[in-house]
Amino acid sequence: MLLAVSEGSKQNAALPETIKLVMYAEPSHVDGFLFSASAQPNTVPDRAAVFRLGLQSMLGLFLAPLGRSGAKFHRPLSCSSRLEHGLIIILPGIEGCSSVNDSIARGLVAGQLSHAIQIIDWRRFRPWNPLHLAMQRHNRTQARVVAELIVNYQRDFPGQPVHLIGHSAGAGMALFVLEQLREDQAVTSVTLLSAAISRRFDVERLLGRTTAGIWNFYSPLDLPTVGIGTMLFGTMDRRHAVSAGALGFLTQNRSSMFSEDSQQQRPRLNQIPYQKSMARSWNFGGHFGSTNAVFVRDNIVPICRRC
């Protein structure tokens, strides 16, 4: 049951419906996953449950063409009690809010995080279309709106963590959001999955807009989508080239500019290439492998938990 839009922000009330912070009455469970603020991950995972979770996420990809109607799991995850413990914003690819990013939300809940979880559909129109990559003015405007949402949340819930998770084109949007924050504003962490943004994008200059750093999960096995695909249709920063989601970012190694003590305190860019062992978490290296709920539980939840 819908209760209210987050109070204390008239600007938030004027935002498009898809990017409001909406609070729902808190259920006792969501599709079989219990969650509470004090919950901790089980030390001995149930193999059968993990198998069902991974298989459910994989089969759920077939529901992606249904869009928002096939993504219902995340809807109760912005309840007021969760907002009090932090906020995770998921920015989807050109498919928009769908079962793909709903699977990310499943993995976060399976890892028993207590944060509120929002999927923000930033696209200009709904159909799954590579033209979304080229709409620079619209994309930058939406990034500014998301940045304002974050600032409003941090004002209403001071001291609580804010994490951004972007998949494919949504990873580019996550970086655009960082660009819209002032130098004295920051989110906690940013996680990029199969990022459809060029390898030469200067991601290191945005590390100061985070308190913990940026994680980039990339896979050479994803070259058909964020390699050939972005060479044909372009990346989010409008380069026709192989993306950072396939081969990682080309960095300038600015760490030499700082002392050793300063380097240890500064947020870092963590580039994580695909490894065969990730297949145990149902990530087989393709474009949607990193969105599988088991992979999210095993690899992204620890980032959000320790930051």
Side-chain angles (χ1 to χ4, degrees):
M1 179 178 66
L2 184 64
L3 291 181
V5 175
S6 179
E7 296 180 355
S9 172
K10 294 182 179 179
Q11 291 178 338
N12 190 37
L15 295 177
E17 183 178 357
T18 56
I19 49 180
K20 289 180 181 179
L21 271 178
V22 181
M23 297 191 294
Y24 291 84
E26 182 173 14
S28 59
H29 68 282
V30 179
D31 283 8
F33 289 113
L34 298 178
F35 56 91
S36 68
S38 60
Q40 296 295 328
N42 294 326
T43 55
V44 182
D46 183 337
R47 290 186 178 182
V50 171
F51 178 83
R52 289 194 299 270
L53 180 62
L55 182 62
Q56 182 180 23
S57 289
M58 180 171 287
L59 295 178
L61 294 176
F62 293 102
L63 299 178
L66 298 178
R68 184 174 295 274
S69 60
K72 299 180 180 180
F73 177 84
H74 73 281
R75 295 180 185 178
L77 299 179
S78 288
C79 53
S80 57
S81 62
R82 280 184 162 255
L83 286 168
E84 295 172 355
H85 295 281
L87 174 65
I88 299 175
I89 295 176
I90 301 172
L91 296 164
I94 60 174
E95 80 283 354
C97 181
S98 73
S99 59
V100 174
N101 22 91
D102 215 37
S103 176
I104 297 175
R106 284 182 183 274
L108 297 172
V109 172
Q112 299 185 19
L113 291 180
S114 56
H115 307 59
I117 301 171
Q118 286 260 311
I119 297 176
I120 296 182
D121 192 343
W122 49 270
R123 303 169 304 160
R124 186 168 186 174
F125 53 89
R126 289 197 173 186
W128 192 328
N129 195 312
L131 286 177
H132 295 300
L133 296 164
M135 296 185 174
Q136 280 287 284
R137 180 178 298 180
H138 170 81
N139 295 345
R140 299 284 182 173
T141 299
Q142 292 303 299
R144 183 166 59 251
V145 173
V146 176
E148 291 174 356
L149 182 151
I150 291 170
V151 172
N152 291 339
Y153 171 81
Q154 291 174 329
R155 182 193 61 209
D156 294 342
F157 298 90
Q160 296 305 316
V162 176
H163 303 279
L164 296 180
I165 300 174
H167 174 246
S168 193
M173 282 297 297
L175 297 177
F176 292 169
V177 170
L178 292 186
E179 288 182 328
Q180 296 299 324
L181 295 174
R182 298 197 312 263
E183 291 186 0
D184 61 338
Q185 297 171 336
V187 299
T188 308
S189 75
V190 176
T191 300
L192 310 176
L193 308 174
S194 302
I197 197 157
S198 72
R199 302 184 68 205
R200 296 186 180 278
F201 183 88
D202 189 3
V203 66
E204 290 179 296
R205 66 185 168 87
L206 298 176
L207 287 171
R209 311 286 170 85
T210 73
T211 59
I214 298 174
W215 279 257
N216 179 42
F217 289 86
Y218 67 94
S219 171
L221 297 179
D222 197 10
L223 276 168
T225 303
V226 287
I228 297 174
T230 52
M231 289 176 69
L232 290 174
F233 299 108
T235 61
M236 284 291 281
D237 54 331
R238 305 319 302 144
R239 291 179 180 269
H240 291 266
V242 174
S243 296
L247 300 177
F249 288 100
L250 296 173
T251 61
Q252 300 180 17
N253 192 20
R254 294 174 177 167
S255 59
S256 59
M257 299 169 57
F258 305 97
S259 66
E260 184 174 347
D261 291 340
S262 177
Q263 290 179 36
Q264 293 177 353
Q265 297 175 359
R266 289 177 58 82
R268 297 178 55 185
L269 171 62
N270 305 277
Q271 301 217 68
I272 305 173
Y274 178 75
Q275 302 172 23
K276 292 181 180 179
S277 60
M278 292 178 178
R280 291 198 292 267
S281 295
W282 290 78
N283 180 357
F284 301 105
H287 193 58
F288 300 108
S290 58
T291 67
N292 189 282
V294 178
F295 181 82
V296 171
R297 186 203 65 171
D298 293 346
N299 294 273
I300 301 177
V301 166
I303 295 172
C304 298
R305 190 177 295 281
R306 75 187 184 195
C307 294

